[in-house]
Each structure stands twice: as structure tokens, then as C-alpha cells.
Amino acid sequence: MPSWAPPLIRLLLVALLVSAVLITVVWMGQRKLIYFPEGGPLPPPDTFVPGGREVTFRTEDGVWLGAWFFPAVGPSGDQAPVVLVAPGNGGNRTARVPLAAALAARGVAALLVDYRGYGGNPGKPGEMGLYRDIHAAYRHLTDEMEVPPNRLFYLGESLGTAVVSELAMTHPPAGLILRSPLVDLASAGKAHYPYLPVGVLLRDRFPVAERVAALRVPTVVVYGTADSIVPPEQSREVARRAAGPTRLVAVPGADHNDRALLDGPQLIDAVVELAGTPR
């Protein structure tokens, strides 16, 4: 064996050990890089919008979640369309109040959901947990509030587009609004970390494009042309793959977290038009 072989072997072993440690750290701690919850306690919802009220419901794995319901404004409020809002991976439901207020003013009610670990809710977020959370919200709307399917719409924001598309597989809505959808979490991750084996390391997958390809429901995709978090081409790809009647709404110059994509006129108009309420 050449004299340089033992040091080289030791170097390779050290490199392998360091790589194994890094992969283990990324595997164990990756959810801290995916989910950015803001906790509670939160003020009463009617301090933001008159008529807003707190609701609670229990998931199938026993987690009690708090959410806010904002009824539609107007004489036909009890018969108004209802939008189930699945947020993205950051903040809590206080940040989505402007969305709910804008919809309520246009005759559309909204349920703002916080996942486990968000907004004072117990638990830690993960893909399966988020799916259980949105299914519990759906059961509350349909069983407790008796909202019929023909008045129920889903709005997913960023990561929430995967959450509502999973719900739609078993409980199709009257319509689906996908705001800044990603093809899947691995594709979004590769856009930011092209030299890492993101697809291999990810524990949570969140496929969106794969699911909408099997959903034959009216769908609107809204995205910002300057989105720096979810590449605009991914949102366009989701719209391209959607099986149902699909409308694509581009918001020129809007980045991922800009106000235009929270409660801007193009987003609100898209929801209202899909829901069939008058301007």
C-alpha cells in the first residue's frame, strides 16, 4: 500500500463522518427551517372585525385548535359563500384578518385556521398534522355550522395550497383558490438550495401539482410575478396541471409576502368571482 494511503483513508473517513453528522442534523432539525409559527395568546377576533368570533374544534389525533370565523356582511350573510383559509408556514391568523375583512365586505364569509403550534394552539407542525388540522376545520364547518358543499370554497396560501389540495382529494369544494402554489416542497427547496439533495432529505413532501392534476373542481391560481420564495414558474406549472376549469391571475411585481397577495384587489376579485357573489 502506498505511504500516502492511510492519511487519505483517514481523510475520507473524516469527510464521511462529517457528512453523516450534517445529514443527521438537517434531518432532525429541518422542520425548524420549514415552519415559522407565531404563538399566542391572541386578542378576541371582534376587536379586529365586528362579528368575528372564536371557534374551536378537535382533530382526529386529539389536538384542540382555535380558529376565527368572520361572517359575511349583508342581509344574506347566513347564505353567503364560505372560504376555508389554510395559511402558509409563517405567522398566525392575525396576519390574515385583512383578507377575511375584505372578503366579508364583499359578501364572503371566512374561517381563518391556525395549525397546531400556531396562534396559541398546542402541538408541533408537520405535514400529517397540518392535514389533520384542516380536516378538523372542514368537519367543523360542515357538521357544526352546517355549511353545504356548494357554498364551501378553499383558499390555500403558499404551503397551504398543499393542505387544501389534500383536503380536496376526499372532500371536493365548490371551488379552489391557490395563492402562490408550489409544485411540491422539494421543488421549492431546490430553487433555493440547488446543490443540496433536498428531495432525499425532506421528511415533509406537500405535493400540490400532483394532486390538482386529479381534482376536477373550478380552480384559480393567483401568483406574484416577482415572487422570491415560490418561483412564479412553479405556480404557472400548478395551473397548467390542474384538471378542472382553471384561471390564472398574475399580480405584476408582487413578491411572496406583499400586501397585494394578502388582500389585494386582484386576489379578492378572484375569490369573489369564483364564489359567484356580486361586485
Side-chain angles (χ1 to χ4, degrees):
M1 179 180 292
S3 59
W4 48 263
L8 179 58
I9 291 172
R10 286 196 295 269
L11 181 61
L12 289 173
L13 288 174
V14 170
L16 287 172
L17 179 61
V18 170
S19 298
V21 170
L22 288 174
I23 289 172
T24 301
V25 170
V26 171
W27 176 264
M28 297 301 295
Q30 63 183 263
R31 283 179 173 157
K32 292 183 179 179
L33 302 175
I34 298 172
Y35 307 102
F36 303 97
E38 291 183 10
L42 304 181
D46 59 2
T47 61
F48 297 101
V49 179
R53 64 179 185 268
E54 182 90 27
V55 299
T56 58
F57 41 82
R58 186 174 182 269
T59 68
E60 65 178 11
D61 59 339
V63 180
W64 281 97
L65 302 176
W68 288 345
F69 182 78
F70 294 91
V73 175
S76 60
D78 290 342
Q79 299 301 315
V82 178
V83 174
L84 172 55
V85 180
N89 65 335
N92 60 39
R93 57 192 181 274
T94 60
R96 282 83 189 181
V97 169
L99 168 66
L103 291 175
R106 297 284 297 275
V108 179
L111 179 68
L112 300 185
V113 174
D114 263 335
Y115 308 122
R116 60 189 65 202
Y118 289 75
N121 288 333
K124 294 182 179 181
E127 183 175 10
M128 295 310 300
L130 268 58
Y131 294 158
R132 293 186 179 104
D133 298 344
I134 205 69
H135 278 263
Y138 170 85
R139 289 193 298 272
H140 178 81
L141 285 171
T142 56
D143 296 349
E144 302 299 322
M145 298 184 65
E146 299 182 342
V147 177
N150 65 352
R151 285 201 291 118
L152 184 54
F153 297 80
Y154 303 159
L155 190 159
E157 169 193 285
S158 188
L159 192 73
T161 62
V163 178
V164 293
S165 60
E166 192 279 337
L167 175 64
M169 295 293 289
T170 51
H171 302 289
L176 190 63
I177 304 99
L178 305 176
R179 199 278 270 179
S180 307
L182 53 158
V183 168
D184 53 45
L185 191 57
S187 298
K190 288 175 185 176
H192 295 279
Y193 307 102
Y195 302 111
L196 292 178
V198 176
V200 176
L201 294 175
L202 278 177
R203 300 166 68 183
D204 295 344
R205 314 306 297 184
F206 291 110
V208 180
E210 175 185 318
R211 290 195 173 119
V212 299
L215 293 173
R216 298 189 179 279
V217 299
T219 302
V220 176
V221 173
V222 182
Y223 73 101
T225 62
D227 197 320
S228 60
I229 304 298
V230 175
E233 57 268 23
Q234 291 204 19
S235 295
R236 292 192 291 266
E237 177 65 11
V238 170
R240 188 189 70 80
R241 293 204 210 173
T246 304
R247 180 182 169 214
L248 187 63
V249 178
V251 183
D255 201 351
H256 193 76
N257 293 313
D258 285 355
R259 186 71 183 263
L261 291 176
L262 173 64
D263 66 334
Q266 287 178 274
L267 174 65
I268 300 304
D269 284 349
V271 177
V272 168
E273 289 170 13
L274 184 66
T277 58
R279 288 180 177 271

